[in-house]
Amino acid sequence: MPHELPGRAPVPAPAGEFRLGPVPTPAGEFRLGPVPTAAGEFRLGPVLLPADLALLTGWMNDPEVDAFWELAGPPEVTERHVRAQQDGDGRSLPCLGLLDGEPMSYWEVYRADLDPLAAHYPARPYDTGVHLLLGPAASRGRGLGAVLLAALAELILRGNPRCERVVAEPDVRNRRSVRAFERAGFRAAAELDLPGKRAALMVRDRADGPAAQAQLPA
């Protein structure tokens, strides 16, 4: 389950941009899209409450999602999780992912170097972390995760020159997720014992150069 992040209200960002970093740390920025991918036009938008709550709650109550996110239950469970970030200090942003205008994924983009995760690996300044779930069951098992992860990692690295790495920490049991990160240009750097799970530390380094865009299976 992703980390909860209490704190202060996020720093406002210009329309179309995402600021990631609490005061006193200077904010990083990257464009939220749209960006063309092999699957269609992809973009992120901040989660809007209460408008998006029913959609997210439905996804969180899917047993396949709940197995790793552990947020099944009434809408109040999902709302607490999202609002903890929205009312926080700007180090984590909950987003809705849209493909050709249709909402189909939930994302959390966060400052990994300022997250509890940083106590478990050699974090670098401005490391940016990603959590992802594909909502509709029809979106899973098609290679979409790798395509969208590759696109977002490139957006982050291109848009914030201070960020040298994009990281993730999927549960090692979630082989589908780990494979998606690998196909998106991430490498498995270590296994971490985190509260509640053993995680695969997945790392996408700027020094590796632009990743080949992940393709959907034929």
Side-chain angles (χ1 to χ4, degrees):
M1 179 176 170
H3 305 292
E4 298 284 348
L5 297 168
R8 206 158 20 82
V11 179
E17 294 183 354
F18 166 45
R19 292 188 178 272
L20 189 61
V23 176
T25 307
E29 301 175 7
F30 68 87
R31 291 282 178 180
L32 294 174
V35 59
T37 75
E41 185 181 82
F42 174 62
R43 67 178 297 271
L44 291 185
V47 170
L48 301 178
L49 295 178
D52 297 326
L53 184 56
L55 178 67
L56 292 180
T57 300
W59 292 349
M60 293 298 184
N61 278 278
D62 183 312
E64 188 172 335
V65 172
D66 182 54
F68 297 106
W69 281 74
E70 300 178 355
L71 289 172
E76 292 78 12
V77 174
T78 298
E79 183 174 17
R80 279 196 301 271
H81 179 79
V82 173
R83 286 202 185 278
Q85 297 167 82
Q86 293 181 333
D87 296 341
D89 58 9
R91 69 180 68 184
S92 182
L93 185 71
C95 294
L96 201 62
L98 293 88
L99 194 60
D100 290 332
E102 292 296 321
M104 46 71 65
S105 52
Y106 171 71
W107 301 74
E108 293 171 354
V109 184
Y110 65 99
R111 279 286 299 274
D113 60 323
L114 302 177
D115 187 83
L117 176 64
H120 299 273
Y121 84 106
R124 299 177 188 171
Y126 292 98
D127 275 359
T128 299
V130 176
H131 298 138
L132 160 69
L133 72 83
L134 299 179
S139 295
R140 303 175 210 144
R142 298 170 44 199
L144 281 176
V147 170
L148 303 185
L149 284 166
L152 182 57
E154 290 300 320
L155 281 174
I156 293 170
L157 293 170
R158 187 166 65 243
N160 184 0
R162 290 166 292 193
C163 173
E164 294 295 328
R165 302 189 301 182
V166 181
V167 303
E169 23 81 15
D171 193 304
V172 295
R173 298 170 299 162
N174 192 348
R175 292 304 305 163
R176 181 182 290 180
S177 179
V178 172
R179 285 195 299 270
F181 279 102
E182 290 172 338
R183 291 186 58 238
F186 289 70
R187 61 181 171 83
E191 289 192 1
L192 309 176
D193 288 315
L194 303 181
K197 70 178 181 181
R198 184 161 180 81
L201 177 66
M202 309 301 297
V203 179
R204 168 76 174 89
D205 280 287
R206 179 189 298 278
D208 293 336
Q213 187 182 74
Q215 300 294 317
L216 292 173

